[in-house]
Amino acid sequence: MRLFVALDLPADVRETLALMRGSMPGVQWVPAENHHITLRFIGEITDRHRLEEIDLALSRLAWQPFELSLAQADIREGLTADSLLIGVERTRQLDALQSQVESALRRAGCPPAKRRFQPAITLGHFFPNQRADAIKWVQRHNLFRSKPMSVEHVTVFESMRSLGEHVYVPREEYAWQPEMPLIPEEE
């Protein structure tokens, strides 16, 4: 199983993002049902014991719901293709939750994250020869700002290939637990 931990998006936010895709030729647009905010990529897990450790560690997350907003369009360079993104406004609560997820996964035996946390939603992928069109797309959507959305759970998704496309299937959801003592935030 190829797994990652993410914040799932409400249906209305997915619809809004899907409307932003437009008609830029040659872009491989990400299906709206795959839009999410990755907190931590886990990778390939085949050991049932490791899956149980991950589940136990994530079930012990201690946090309170918070709100976050999406803002601005951007481009992220990749090795073979670049990506069109919508940014996520960084908050202390988002960073603290991501840090807890990282710590929980390390306790469960996962290696440290390979990339620094950069919250964003990938809307599409394009090749470098389409950069001029991509810059125009970013300029059209650079003032985008979503209404605040409530973060009340994190989700473990499995990434699968189906007919040549990635399909992200939610496997487990971890809601905030008011009875759990909050872990003090690191300063």
Side-chain angles (χ1 to χ4, degrees):
M1 298 174 77
R2 190 171 169 82
L3 304 175
F4 62 93
V5 180
L7 300 178
D8 204 358
L9 301 177
D12 61 330
V13 173
R14 289 174 192 252
E15 289 172 23
T16 299
L17 294 175
L19 292 173
M20 295 174 69
R21 294 188 292 196
S23 59
M24 195 172 126
V27 173
Q28 180 184 353
W29 294 107
V30 173
E33 59 271 13
N34 282 354
H35 292 163
H36 65 276
I37 302 166
T38 301
L39 295 175
R40 173 64 153 74
F41 180 72
I42 297 173
E44 193 70 34
I45 303 292
T46 55
D47 179 5
R48 184 173 193 80
H49 178 70
R50 175 65 44 84
L51 283 171
E52 291 170 358
E53 291 293 319
I54 289 169
D55 179 57
L56 180 61
L58 292 174
S59 72
R60 293 180 175 163
L61 293 175
W63 52 287
Q64 291 182 340
F66 60 93
E67 290 190 337
L68 62 80
S69 296
L70 309 178
Q72 298 183 321
D74 202 358
I75 295 171
R76 185 176 293 158
E77 292 184 13
L79 295 175
T80 57
D82 296 338
S83 300
L84 295 171
L85 309 172
I86 293 298
V88 176
E89 289 188 344
R90 298 283 294 252
T91 65
R92 189 174 40 84
Q93 296 95 336
L94 176 61
D95 286 341
L97 177 58
Q98 191 281 329
S99 180
Q100 274 197 62
V101 168
E102 175 67 27
S103 295
L105 292 174
R106 284 187 184 191
R107 282 191 303 274
C110 296
K114 293 181 180 179
R115 295 183 181 170
R116 186 170 52 90
F117 180 54
Q118 296 178 322
I121 299 167
T122 303
L123 296 187
H125 305 283
F126 65 96
F127 294 107
N129 64 344
Q130 299 169 287
R131 194 154 198 55
D133 289 334
I135 289 170
K136 288 178 190 173
W137 182 89
V138 168
Q139 290 170 341
R140 271 195 319 272
H141 299 290
N142 202 38
L143 296 178
F144 170 77
R145 182 171 175 83
S146 73
K147 65 180 182 175
M149 63 183 125
S150 183
V151 175
E152 298 181 2
H153 64 272
V154 298
T155 305
V156 171
F157 286 91
E158 180 180 1
S159 175
M160 300 188 303
R161 298 281 283 171
S162 176
L163 302 174
E165 291 189 11
H166 287 283
V167 176
Y168 302 143
V169 179
R171 291 296 177 200
E172 193 65 50
E173 205 173 85
Y174 302 91
W176 75 283
Q177 301 172 47
E179 68 278 359
M180 290 285 284
L182 290 178
I183 297 173
E185 296 175 18
E186 296 177 17
E187 297 191 26

